Amino acid sequence: MKPATGKDPLLTLGTSRELGTVVCRTVTLIAALACLSTTSAQAQTVAITGGKVYPVSGPPIENGTVLVRDGKVVAVGANVAVPNGATRIDATGKWVTPGLINALTGLGVAEINAVPATVDRSARGDSGVAASFPVWEGINPASTLFAPARNEGVTSVGVIPTGGLIAGQAAVIDLVPGTLTDMIDKAPIAMVAQFGDPRDGGSNARGEQYARFKELLDDARAYSRRRAEFERAQTREFAARRADLEALIPVVEGRLPLLINVDQASDIEAVLRLARESNVKVIIAGGAESWKVADKLAAANVPVIVGAMINIPQSFSTLGSRQETPALLQRAGVKTVLIGNGSGEEGFNVRNLKYDAGVAVAYGLKWDDALRAITLTPAEVFGVANRVGSLQPGRDANIVVWSGDPFEFATRVEHVLIRGREVVQPSRQDELMQRYKTYPPVYRKP
Amino acid sequence: MGGVVAALGACAPAKSTAAAQQPRPAAATTPARDTTRPPPGLGGVSAPNADPFPSTYVVPASRATVIRNVTILTAAGPAIRDGSVLLRDGKIAAVGTSVSPPGDAEVIDGRGKYLTPGIIDDHSHMGVYAAPGGDALSDGNELTNPVTANVWAEHSVWPQDPQFPRALASGVTTAQILPGSGNLIGGRSVVLKMVPSPSVQGMKFPGAKYGLKMACGENPKRVYATRGPSTRMGNVAGYRAAWIQAEAYRRRWDKWNADHQGDPPQRDLGLETLAEVLRGNILVHNHCYRADEMMQMIDIAKEFGYKIRSFHHGVEAYKIADRLAKEGISASLWSDWGGFKMEAMDGVRANLAMVSAAGARAIVHSDDPSGMQRLNQDAAKAMAAGEQIGIHTTEDQAIKWLTINPAWALGLDDKIGSIEVGKNADVVLWSADPFSVYARVDRVWLDGAPAYDRANPASWWRTDFELGNVPLPTGGAR
């Protein structure tokens, strides 16, 4: 196969803007790191002007302006006055959206999946129960996986523990350079559990698994009523350790949702029964066959976190996998959050969320609903919509400027702002590509 | 990447593309005096083992078909706007801005749509790791010995794997099924057409050469950590030991085939396969992530006189793309799978574009039945990533990553992989530009016969397994 043109394309330069993007990222890396290390200093006004603005919380605005001050959105509209001294970002011909939110990731706690020393996503737990496990405490702000996601428009992620019957507690973070404290939006956002193949969760049959859930929730309730007696060892034996029971109290009190990974339609119905009987709030994740019970999910007001990439009956729990699921859920009135469920979407490819949305559209989801499903809806489901997920006054200024339709492959991310600051930081991959753009590679600068 | 990280290795010789396209007469091995056995067929092997599981696929009868007013990405030249193509008797009979349809032809209007060659995935484990998975269907890695050149992937393929019809419905018409990557030498691949059949023989691409799967790096050394090889240097010693045996075996048999003196040498299935690689009759597909390991595999190939046809996965291919171009080795790649293990850390999304721009054959492969359904999207991501570093890839080039280049890797570029007169009539009609996220496959023709029609669910191929188990996904939101 020949090079595209007669000459060696490796020696040709891209357009000035293309080159500018990457080179600028490289050159400014150190400066950017220095400046981003002081994320608290945010006295800055930014005006993004002239773009097609998708606030998500309201209808799109042609030729709109988004005004940002001190890290917050202060105005969005077609007739917003830009104060003197504001940093202007010309978005003429561009699309402006809230930063994308990938709801189910292991970012920061799973660096290289095959290197256990870099993975802190699954607790050892006690008989499959790790309710007290705060996964966010293991987040490494120096993870190399933040930059690829952020540079492609993902500004917040759910960090979700995995494994066992009750995996632990999840958080939402902003992909803002800084410390863990800087990054966290909210923790916990949910208690994570699995209701899939019972053998994965330490039971041997579905009914046994159901009974274990009931027992755990009942005991958490009993424990919360009888804490003092428990401390004096005057209670019966409970089904979990003290710390885990303690962690389940907000769940049984309805203050913290139970995010349950479940696929098979009959299992989803079991989860709905459990939620009713135990009076807990649930969120369905995975949901391969959720389309079969869409009406029941809508009636119970249970949100579903689901992908649009899988149509293969990969297991006996997912025989009904199909790519129209997000569209069918949305049509039934289910609050639908889109995630990537193509293979290899974890970690490296948290960035591909926008393409999952595009595929969902190709399989029937309305475009506006798809954008909402990767911005405002996950923010609502995780209880952080007061901060992220939409462009309206008072929200954190997590904003992406795109060269066109965000879901299309040819579209480029032109600007990413998190809490009002433009984040400019090349990924490892950017640096590798620069190094090997010519042969022999440049290992040392003269 | 499924439960098991797949590995492939291919090493194929070919001093030139033209030479590679020709079925090679295996001169030294042709059993000229042995009239009791059939001669090796196309893609056949040495005399004692000539095609013992022959393809039973028959090109179906079909009505002549014209698709017109369509944008044709030919993979053989510039796109044809408002073009037409005539499919007749299983072949592409005419292509151009207009063709004259025979009176009995079905005429399909492709206005606003795109036509491409059938997509070819040169790295799949469909059938050998069939859905719905589990131990019962896990037949892709014979992890009992680091060198299992004696196993053939086709003997594990379950034709009722529901992944096959899904591949077809996404535009894939041909796939190479490989053993997994747990072994240094994993065994023979098989090239299949995406057609229903009660037997794998009924899916086998007639005349396709076999491939040999080899694997570098972490997988074999992890699998055999306790018995060895447990290191990369152990891996290399293992390949070399196998080739030393294979070379001796080849000499013994070539000599006997030439003179027929005395009893024939004892057959050895594994060495027979390796000897066929040394004779150039089997193409080497080499799973290898890192640039340094690819360079070592190239030297091993030179030491023993074989060629590597394609490096698979090659997340670091961009680091040595100039060498791959020079050596005539293709690179079967993902756009953006990476980071999941140490040897995959340096994956970059422009890999395909960088390899292609350096003059090497770039191929989009899947190693995954879900990714396989979106190879066009993978190409689009790589195109966009290339643009970001100043490498422009046209759609006319990128379509080759999905069609004619993998066809070459399989030694089938004289039969499939482009829309040219005389090629097999494997074509895909897309609802829109296939490099758009919104494009869907509307129709697929395989050897000129209608194989998939999105608008007609009753016509969809459903495997035996799916009956009663898997609901037909109709009634979706549109």
Side-chain angles (χ1 to χ4, degrees):
Chain A
M1 159 152 165
K2 291 176 190 151
T5 59
K7 56 197 169 181
D8 181 350
L10 291 181
L11 299 178
T12 64
L13 299 180
T15 65
S16 58
R17 184 194 291 140
E18 286 157 358
L19 203 65
T21 305
V22 173
V23 172
C24 160
R25 275 185 186 157
T26 306
V27 169
T28 58
L29 171 60
I30 293 172
L33 286 173
C35 121
L36 289 164
S37 64
T38 57
T39 49
S40 53
Q42 291 174 331
Q44 193 186 7
T45 302
V46 180
I48 301 166
T49 60
K52 181 170 188 177
V53 179
Y54 285 87
V56 182
S57 51
I61 303 160
E62 297 287 348
N63 195 15
T65 294
V66 181
L67 192 64
V68 173
R69 188 179 301 128
D70 298 338
K72 301 280 187 189
V73 175
V74 293
V76 180
N79 300 300
V80 173
V82 177
N84 288 335
T87 303
R88 279 177 181 263
I89 293 175
D90 180 8
T92 306
K94 317 290 185 194
W95 298 33
V96 182
T97 71
L100 308 184
I101 302 173
N102 195 323
L104 298 189
T105 79
L107 272 196
V109 291
E111 189 74 3
I112 304 170
N113 280 330
V115 179
T118 69
V119 180
D120 296 285
R121 207 180 171 185
S122 300
R124 188 178 306 279
D126 179 36
S127 303
V129 176
S132 57
F133 169 45
V135 69
W136 60 86
E137 293 296 349
I139 288 174
N140 178 7
S143 168
T144 63
L145 299 177
F146 292 133
R150 181 173 53 222
N151 292 346
E152 300 218 27
V154 176
T155 58
S156 307
V157 299
V159 181
I160 310 292
T162 57
L165 184 70
I166 297 192
Q169 302 166 53
V172 170
I173 61 172
D174 277 351
L175 303 188
V176 64
T179 66
L180 175 60
T181 309
D182 295 328
M183 300 180 85
I184 285 186
D185 273 342
K186 187 179 177 188
I189 50 161
M191 181 68 68
V192 180
Q194 334 284 333
F195 201 101
D197 186 333
R199 284 144 286 259
D200 296 338
S203 304
N204 203 48
R206 286 179 155 77
E208 181 187 15
Q209 180 167 264
Y210 187 92
R212 280 200 75 200
F213 267 108
K214 283 276 289 178
E215 182 185 25
L216 281 167
L217 296 172
D218 286 349
D219 281 8
R221 209 168 263 121
Y223 167 82
S224 76
R225 283 194 308 262
R226 307 186 57 192
R227 259 202 194 97
E229 291 143 278
F230 179 87
E231 294 296 342
R232 294 194 299 269
Q234 290 175 344
T235 59
R236 64 177 166 81
E237 195 175 339
F238 288 132
R241 296 184 303 197
R242 186 202 57 82
D244 292 324
L245 294 169
E246 192 76 49
L248 285 167
I249 291 173
V251 174
V252 296
E253 291 181 349
R255 291 183 282 117
L256 187 68
L258 199 53
L259 187 157
I260 303 190
N261 291 284
V262 54
D263 284 310
Q264 188 170 306
S266 62
D267 289 341
I268 295 173
E269 294 197 73
V271 165
L272 292 179
R273 284 196 301 278
L274 182 75
R276 265 197 317 274
E277 291 173 11
S278 297
N279 198 25
V280 296
K281 266 173 64 178
V282 293
I283 302 165
I284 302 293
E289 296 189 341
S290 57
W291 62 273
K292 289 183 170 181
V293 290
D295 290 344
K296 289 174 183 164
L297 290 162
N301 198 24
V302 169
V304 178
I305 303 174
V306 69
M309 292 289 204
I310 303 291
N311 62 0
I312 295 170
Q314 290 167 317
S315 73
F316 279 96
S317 294
T318 64
L319 293 177
S321 285
R322 59 187 298 194
Q323 294 180 260
E324 295 87 354
T325 299
L328 292 167
L329 292 173
Q330 186 76 33
R331 196 169 64 182
V334 178
K335 206 178 247 296
T336 305
V337 174
L338 272 174
I339 48 161
N341 65 3
S343 306
E345 300 262 325
E346 286 294 332
F348 219 54
N349 284 331
V350 163
R351 56 187 168 176
N352 283 347
L353 182 64
K354 54 197 174 182
Y355 307 134
D356 294 282
V359 169
V361 171
Y363 284 80
L365 188 63
K366 290 193 178 69
W367 194 95
D368 288 351
D369 290 336
L371 180 62
R372 197 183 202 287
I374 56 174
T375 53
L376 186 53
T377 306
E380 289 169 351
V381 167
F382 287 155
V384 290
N386 60 331
R387 291 193 62 172
V388 298
S390 63
L391 300 179
Q392 48 182 322
R395 300 298 187 272
D396 287 359
N398 293 2
I399 306 171
V400 184
V401 179
W402 312 82
S403 65
D405 180 345
F407 304 161
E408 274 290 15
F409 301 108
T411 297
R412 274 196 316 276
V413 170
E414 309 232 329
H415 302 275
V416 178
L417 279 72
I418 306 187
R419 299 183 193 161
R421 282 187 173 268
E422 181 145 20
V423 183
V424 180
Q425 194 179 12
S427 65
R428 280 190 84 241
Q429 286 69 36
D430 291 332
E431 297 192 74
L432 283 164
M433 285 188 286
Q434 286 304 318
R435 169 172 282 184
Y436 288 96
K437 235 184 106 180
T438 53
Y439 305 105
V442 180
Y443 289 114
R444 293 194 185 99
K445 298 230 164 67
Chain B
M1 298 210 153
V4 176
V5 177
L8 278 229
C11 123
K15 291 208 165 59
S16 72
T17 303
Q21 291 172 356
Q22 300 304 322
R24 285 201 184 192
T29 69
T30 303
R33 293 183 229 167
D34 185 350
T35 54
T36 64
R37 288 182 175 279
L42 294 175
V45 293
S46 58
N49 197 13
D51 210 13
F53 305 92
S55 170
T56 57
Y57 173 80
V58 177
V59 175
S62 60
R63 185 178 163 193
T65 302
V66 171
I67 304 145
R68 65 182 186 191
N69 297 325
V70 70
T71 299
I72 306 173
L73 301 178
T74 65
I80 304 170
R81 310 281 162 193
D82 293 320
S84 296
V85 63
L86 168 62
L87 317 179
R88 192 170 51 202
D89 300 330
K91 302 290 182 192
I92 293 168
V95 56
T97 49
S98 69
V99 302
S100 23
D104 61 340
E106 182 183 7
V107 178
I108 288 156
D109 186 33
R111 195 172 302 277
K113 300 185 178 183
Y114 279 67
L115 193 75
T116 70
I119 306 298
I120 299 166
D121 188 354
D122 75 356
H123 194 131
S124 170
H125 301 290
M126 287 187 295
V128 302
Y129 282 112
D135 290 345
L137 295 172
S138 186
D139 287 312
N141 262 308
E142 180 57 40
L143 298 179
T144 51
N145 193 297
V147 176
T148 55
N150 54 326
V151 305
W152 298 28
E154 66 199 78
H155 301 139
S156 280
V157 169
W158 185 38
Q160 305 302 337
D161 183 353
Q163 295 169 152
F164 287 124
R166 283 157 181 76
L168 173 68
S170 63
V172 174
T173 49
T174 305
Q176 174 171 238
I177 311 301
L178 291 147
S181 55
N183 291 347
L184 301 175
I185 298 179
R188 284 195 197 199
S189 71
V190 63
V191 179
L192 301 182
K193 288 173 178 281
M194 297 301 102
V195 292
S197 169
S199 72
V200 71
Q201 291 93 322
M203 303 175 77
K204 283 177 75 173
F205 197 116
K209 290 188 175 186
Y210 282 103
L212 177 72
K213 172 69 172 286
M214 296 179 67
C216 299
E218 289 183 29
N219 289 5
K221 87 187 188 91
R222 185 184 64 245
V223 170
Y224 294 101
T226 53
R227 59 165 282 191
S230 65
T231 61
R232 284 184 162 85
M233 59 187 173
N235 286 356
V236 170
Y239 311 125
R240 297 175 79 197
W243 291 119
I244 288 167
Q245 283 189 296
E247 173 56 17
Y249 183 86
R250 182 194 66 77
R251 279 201 314 274
R252 278 201 299 280
W253 267 96
D254 285 356
K255 178 173 182 300
W256 189 84
N257 278 327
D259 61 24
H260 278 210
Q261 295 300 305
D263 280 350
Q266 174 74 36
R267 278 182 69 189
D268 180 296
L269 283 177
L271 295 175
E272 205 161 79
T273 290
L274 297 181
E276 281 298 273
V277 172
L278 296 175
R279 294 180 186 117
N281 293 330
I282 288 181
L283 307 177
V284 174
H285 293 268
N286 201 150
H287 155 123
C288 217
Y289 285 83
R290 275 181 11 194
D292 56 315
E293 289 187 291
M294 287 188 260
M295 295 306 297
Q296 288 179 335
M297 295 312 291
I298 290 171
D299 280 349
I300 292 168
K302 287 181 175 167
E303 179 183 7
F304 293 99
Y306 67 92
K307 284 204 172 181
I308 298 165
R309 190 71 165 192
S310 194
F311 280 120
H312 289 239
H313 309 341
V315 300
E316 294 188 3
Y318 67 95
K319 297 184 181 179
I320 52 163
D322 55 336
R323 293 299 304 273
L324 297 178
K326 183 165 163 279
E327 300 287 342
I329 300 173
S330 64
S332 301
L333 309 172
W334 303 294
S335 70
D336 58 12
W337 243 357
F340 46 86
K341 57 178 167 174
M342 203 64 202
E343 64 189 2
M345 270 188 76
D346 285 1
V348 301
R349 205 181 245 170
N351 199 8
L352 281 150
M354 294 168 85
V355 166
S356 182
R361 277 188 183 79
I363 294 166
V364 188
H365 76 334
S366 79
D367 190 18
D368 173 79
S370 189
M372 171 186 238
Q373 298 178 51
R374 286 178 286 277
L375 293 175
N376 53 313
Q377 298 194 359
D378 232 28
K381 284 188 275 187
M383 292 168 76
E387 295 288 344
Q388 296 248 8
I389 57 167
I391 298 173
H392 178 63
T393 306
T394 65
E395 293 196 344
D396 293 335
Q397 291 173 289
I399 194 66
K400 295 181 179 180
W401 301 349
L402 308 165
T403 55
I404 194 68
N405 289 0
W408 179 86
L410 303 181
L412 291 170
D413 50 337
D414 58 336
K415 297 188 177 69
I416 55 175
S418 61
I419 297 182
E420 293 177 277
V421 171
K423 286 281 184 86
N424 292 0
D426 295 353
V427 298
V428 182
L429 183 65
W430 303 80
S431 66
D433 184 333
F435 299 106
S436 162
V437 75
Y438 303 120
R440 296 282 306 271
V441 170
D442 279 346
R443 298 193 63 170
V444 180
W445 288 264
L446 210 157
D447 285 325
Y452 174 74
D453 180 356
R454 179 155 69 104
N456 183 8
S459 73
W460 295 349
W461 165 21
R462 305 186 77 217
T463 60
D464 294 353
F465 173 76
E466 289 175 84
L467 302 178
N469 275 316
V470 177
L472 192 65
T474 54
R478 285 287 183 278

